């Protein structure tokens, strides 16, 4: 194939490359700055001298993190939340997406269920009914308050349902003729074939649970049970917001609220996602697009 080398094509290619470089810079700049702040001296950081290179190299903030028991407690709670919530999310998503991917002749109430779950995605009862339901169920201050309310993510169900619809009917018919039931067909055919889509959804679930801090603020009153992102959000409180804190919280805040230490904690909290992302990223586009195109 002979590529066109006209002036217009070269200019368009140059513009695309410049746009990609700009997007890459804007995406990476906050992360690089956070890393540089975490390994610079507090004097240089407070003076506003640190941007994209370390000033007066200093790793003492990472040493302090190792001795911060509250940070590691919150870290373990987030790990527990990801493992427990991720497993529940994936099991319920698969079990809901499979029957909804069947035709109306195979599952007569399919359209009714679809309308119900789509309605819940478009309209919610609001934050007060949401809190009251969780409170009446006795879930406040427990890990289940962070896991169960979002146990069935509707967007992920629709994504996986579309992927299941794209699997050739002949495979299912052949398995059915050989005596396989619906559960065996799901476990032996649909799940192995759907690995790209399942990996994509797993990434969504892990990132969602790991980064969510809002429900930790509303549903967890015990500071020993808050997840990591809620803990980090509390560290980033402004001085104006500090007037609402108790004396004990103010003392704790004053001990650890320097910018260098907080940057180091934010960076450490990103490590699990940065380790998982490369293994699941290659499935991302394939898992989202496949199944969206129909015959």
């Amino acid at each position: 194939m002979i590529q066109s080398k006209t002036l217009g094509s070269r200019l368009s290619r140059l513009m695309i490359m410049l746009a990609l470089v700009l997007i890459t810079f804007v995406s990476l700049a906050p992360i690089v700055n956070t890393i540089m702040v975490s390994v610079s001296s507090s004097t240089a950081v407070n003076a506003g001298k640190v941007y994209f290179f370390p000033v007066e190299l200093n790793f003492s903030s990472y040493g302090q993190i190792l001795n911060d028991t509250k940070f590691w407690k919150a870290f373990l709670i987030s790990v527990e939340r990801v493992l427990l919530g991720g497993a529940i999310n994936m099991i319920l998503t698969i079990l809901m997406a499979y029957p909804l991917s069947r035709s109306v002749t195979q599952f007569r109430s399919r359209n009714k269920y679809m309308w119900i779950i789509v309605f819940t995605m478009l309209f919610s009862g609001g934050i007060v009914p949401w809190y009251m339901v969780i409170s009446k169920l006795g879930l406040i201050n427990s890990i289940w308050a962070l896991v169960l309310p979002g146990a069935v993510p509707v967007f992920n169900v629709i994504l996986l349902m579309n992927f299941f619809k794209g699997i050739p009917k002949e495979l299912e018919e052949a398995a059915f003729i050989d005596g396989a039931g619906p559960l065996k067909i799901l476990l032996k055919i649909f799940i192995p074939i759907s690995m790209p889509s399942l990996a994509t959804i797993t990434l969504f679930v892990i990132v969602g649970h790991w980064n969510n801090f809002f429900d930790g603020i509303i549903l967890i009153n015990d500071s020993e049970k808050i997840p990591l992102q809620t803990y980090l959000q509390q560290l980033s409180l402004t001085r104006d917001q500090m007037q609402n804190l108790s004396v004990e919280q103010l003392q704790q805040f004053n001990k650890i609220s320097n910018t260098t230490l907080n940057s180091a904690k934010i960076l450490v909290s990103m490590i699990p996602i940065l380790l998982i992302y490369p293994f699941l990223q290659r499935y991302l586009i394939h898992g989202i697009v496949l199944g969206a195109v129909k015959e």
Side-chain angles (χ1 to χ4, degrees):
M1 180 180 176
I2 300 176
Q3 294 184 344
S4 173
K5 294 184 179 179
T6 62
L7 180 61
S9 66
R10 288 179 177 176
L11 283 175
S12 62
R13 179 173 294 184
L14 180 62
M15 294 297 290
I16 291 172
M17 290 179 67
L18 288 175
L20 290 176
V21 170
L22 181 62
I23 292 171
T24 304
F25 176 77
V26 171
S27 302
L28 293 180
I31 299 175
V32 174
N33 180 254
T34 301
I35 295 172
M36 295 304 110
V37 168
S38 69
V39 296
S40 298
S41 70
S42 58
T43 307
V45 172
N46 292 333
K49 296 179 180 178
V50 182
Y51 295 100
F52 301 113
F53 296 97
V55 179
E56 300 172 11
L57 203 61
N58 182 5
F59 294 95
S60 59
S61 57
Y62 291 95
Q64 291 186 39
I65 289 177
L66 293 176
N67 298 321
D68 187 347
T69 54
K70 276 199 167 185
F71 176 85
W72 291 112
K73 266 185 183 177
F75 189 94
L76 291 176
I77 288 172
S78 281
V79 171
E80 181 185 6
R81 175 181 183 169
V82 168
L83 294 177
L84 190 61
I88 292 173
N89 279 166
M90 293 307 299
I91 291 172
L92 294 180
T93 299
I94 292 171
L95 292 179
M96 181 169 280
Y98 178 62
L100 290 175
S101 67
R102 306 296 83 197
S103 64
V104 178
T105 54
Q106 293 174 303
F107 182 22
R108 293 184 179 179
S109 301
R110 174 186 174 278
N111 290 340
K112 294 178 183 176
Y113 281 98
M114 277 303 300
W115 275 110
I116 292 172
I117 66 168
V118 170
F119 183 85
T120 62
M121 186 172 68
L122 298 177
F123 304 97
S124 67
I127 192 169
V128 174
W130 170 73
Y131 177 82
M132 290 177 67
V133 169
I134 297 171
S135 178
K136 291 293 182 184
L137 291 173
L139 300 179
I140 299 295
N141 269 337
S142 73
I143 188 68
W144 299 108
L146 307 176
V147 169
L148 292 182
V152 184
V154 176
F155 176 79
N156 293 346
V157 171
I158 294 173
L159 189 68
L160 188 60
M161 181 190 71
N162 285 329
F163 197 96
F164 283 164
K165 283 182 177 178
I167 296 175
K169 304 292 182 189
E170 291 78 7
L171 285 174
E172 185 178 1
E173 291 172 359
F176 183 73
I177 291 172
D178 288 341
L183 183 59
K184 193 170 185 179
I185 292 173
L186 173 65
L187 296 176
K188 298 292 184 181
I189 296 177
F190 277 67
I191 290 180
I193 291 177
S194 306
M195 281 303 168
S197 186
L198 292 175
T200 304
I201 293 172
T202 302
L203 181 62
F204 290 163
V205 169
I206 290 174
V207 173
H209 275 295
W210 187 262
N211 287 338
N212 197 344
F213 68 91
F214 181 72
D215 51 4
I217 297 173
I218 302 295
L219 304 173
I220 306 296
N221 301 321
D222 188 348
S223 62
E224 300 291 325
K225 297 180 179 179
I226 58 174
L228 182 60
Q229 299 304 326
T230 305
Y231 174 76
L232 294 176
Q233 192 275 339
Q234 291 178 351
L235 292 181
S236 64
L237 290 174
T238 64
R239 294 286 172 183
D240 291 337
Q241 292 170 305
M242 288 174 62
Q243 60 186 354
N244 298 322
L245 298 179
S246 64
V247 176
E248 184 181 355
Q249 286 174 316
L250 279 172
Q251 291 173 345
Q252 184 67 17
F253 185 84
N254 287 329
K255 287 179 184 175
I256 57 176
S257 65
N258 64 76
T259 308
T260 302
L261 183 57
N262 291 348
S263 297
K265 288 178 178 178
I266 291 170
L267 191 65
V268 172
S269 75
M270 291 166 55
I271 290 176
I273 297 298
L274 293 176
L275 292 177
I276 293 171
Y277 189 75
F279 296 102
L280 299 179
Q281 185 271 340
R282 62 195 179 105
Y283 295 112
L284 193 60
I285 297 176
H286 190 60
I288 291 175
V289 175
L290 198 60
V293 180
K294 298 292 177 288
E295 295 179 357

